[in-house]
């Protein structure tokens, strides 16, 4: 079973460049999430979605955008990359919001130089 | 604002030792989850506890949810090098509110 798949695994961006982090899940989960993980800072929620066509901001949404056109896909867009966006990004999905397992992808390590 | 405080932040122990890590909050949660994350991987769920005072065991790992559902602990008996990793607790609320994650406890078990 594929679970949650993220691409790319690694990326180096120059300041001001744009990119899209891809995330797809094959578990038919309605709930999907994007987190960033900085050293020693745990997971911070960027955006989440409760179903196709519905997205909402998390704790740290500035500098990012998302869309959810299908149940399976939840891409994260960085429009003008800044060094502060250097981080490891995780996509996750779950059957319900808070009391069921969140399945995580392997992460995308992004460096902005 | 960090709603979930985990302690200790770092822990390095010898193989065979016992340890306890803590997850504390001033908020009441409807559920609490523990995840383990290995280098280069995403977090993987270990357990979910939903009832105040609940105790769950997973081989050498014992998880407890506080009576007031504000805190939790993870106890590992006879730690092994394979237990090395980042342990994250996550609190859940009822309704459509996302999980809140702590900063984690980074455990290193030395053979």
């Amino acid at each position: 079973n594929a679970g949650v798949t993220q691409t790319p695994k690694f990326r180096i961006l120059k300041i001001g460049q744009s990119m899209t982090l891809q995330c797809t899940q094959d578990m038919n989960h309605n709930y999907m999430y994007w987190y960033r993980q900085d050293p020693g800072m745990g997971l911070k929620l960027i955006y989440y979605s409760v179903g196709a066509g519905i997205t909402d901001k998390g704790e740290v949404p500035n500098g990012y955008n998302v869309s959810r056109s299908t149940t399976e896909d939840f891409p994260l867009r960085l429009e003008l990359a800044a060094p502060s966006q250097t981080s490891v990004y995780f996509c996750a999905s779950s059957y319900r919001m808070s009391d069921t397992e969140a399945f995580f992808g392997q992460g995308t390590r992004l460096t902005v130089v | 604002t960090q709603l979930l405080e985990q302690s200790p932040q770092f822990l390095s122990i010898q193989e065979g030792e016992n340890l306890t890590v803590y997850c504390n909050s001033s908020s009441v949660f409807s559920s609490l989850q523990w995840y383990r994350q290995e280098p280069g991987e995403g977090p993987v769920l270990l357990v979910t506890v939903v009832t105040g005072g609940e105790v769950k065991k997973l081989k050498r790992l014992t998880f407890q949810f506080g009576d007031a559902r504000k805190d939790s602990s993870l106890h590992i008996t006879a730690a092994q090098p394979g237990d090395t990793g980042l342990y994250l607790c996550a609190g859940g609320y009822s309704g459509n509110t996302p999980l809140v994650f702590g900063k984690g406890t980074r455990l290193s078990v030395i053979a």
Side-chain angles (χ1 to χ4, degrees):
Chain A
N1 292 337
V4 178
T5 303
Q6 289 182 239
T7 56
K9 290 189 177 179
F10 303 93
R11 184 71 186 267
I12 299 175
L13 276 183
K14 292 185 178 179
I15 295 171
Q17 286 186 322
S18 301
M19 76 164 295
T20 299
L21 283 66
Q22 302 291 345
C23 176
T24 187
Q25 53 95 6
D26 63 358
M27 295 171 283
N28 202 34
H29 287 162
N30 281 327
Y31 299 92
M32 295 189 74
Y33 319 85
W34 274 105
Y35 294 91
R36 60 178 287 172
Q37 186 174 39
D38 301 321
M41 296 301 291
L43 292 167
K44 292 190 175 181
L45 184 64
I46 305 171
Y47 271 96
Y48 66 100
S49 170
V50 301
I54 306 169
T55 62
D56 210 345
K57 295 178 180 179
E59 182 184 359
V60 289
N62 291 343
Y64 307 94
N65 279 299
V66 293
S67 59
R68 185 93 183 273
S69 57
T70 66
T71 298
E72 294 78 17
D73 299 308
F74 191 39
L76 177 72
R77 178 82 177 163
L78 283 71
E79 289 294 348
L80 291 170
S84 61
Q85 293 178 305
T86 294
S87 189
V88 181
Y89 291 84
F90 288 99
C91 179
S93 73
S94 64
Y95 177 66
R96 286 194 297 268
M97 179 68 83
S98 64
D99 63 350
T100 58
E101 180 174 3
F103 293 84
F104 286 82
Q106 287 195 308
T108 296
R109 184 174 294 276
L110 175 67
T111 302
V112 182
V113 296
Chain B
T1 303
Q2 185 64 40
L3 295 179
L4 276 171
E5 297 288 341
Q6 289 192 244
S7 60
Q9 189 174 357
F10 300 97
L11 188 57
S12 181
I13 62 171
Q14 296 290 324
E15 181 177 3
E17 292 185 354
N18 301 331
L19 67 114
T20 302
V21 298
Y22 300 93
C23 175
N24 296 295
S25 177
S26 57
S27 299
V28 176
F29 294 106
S30 62
S31 65
L32 197 131
Q33 299 179 349
W34 284 93
Y35 290 79
R36 181 168 66 206
Q37 183 179 17
E38 298 186 11
E41 301 288 332
V44 175
L45 182 70
L46 295 172
V47 77
T48 301
V49 285
V50 297
T51 304
E54 182 176 3
V55 176
K56 281 192 174 180
K57 293 191 175 184
L58 185 66
K59 296 183 181 178
R60 295 175 293 99
L61 278 61
T62 301
F63 304 85
Q64 183 162 9
F65 201 11
D67 291 341
R69 290 185 287 131
K70 293 182 178 182
D71 55 85
S72 181
S73 63
L74 159 59
H75 181 79
I76 301 179
T77 303
Q80 298 178 0
D83 296 325
T84 293
L86 179 67
Y87 289 81
L88 295 158
C89 66
Y93 300 95
S94 58
N96 272 354
T97 305
L99 288 170
V100 175
F101 281 85
K103 293 183 179 181
T105 293
R106 190 167 298 279
L107 172 65
S108 177
V109 182
I110 302 166

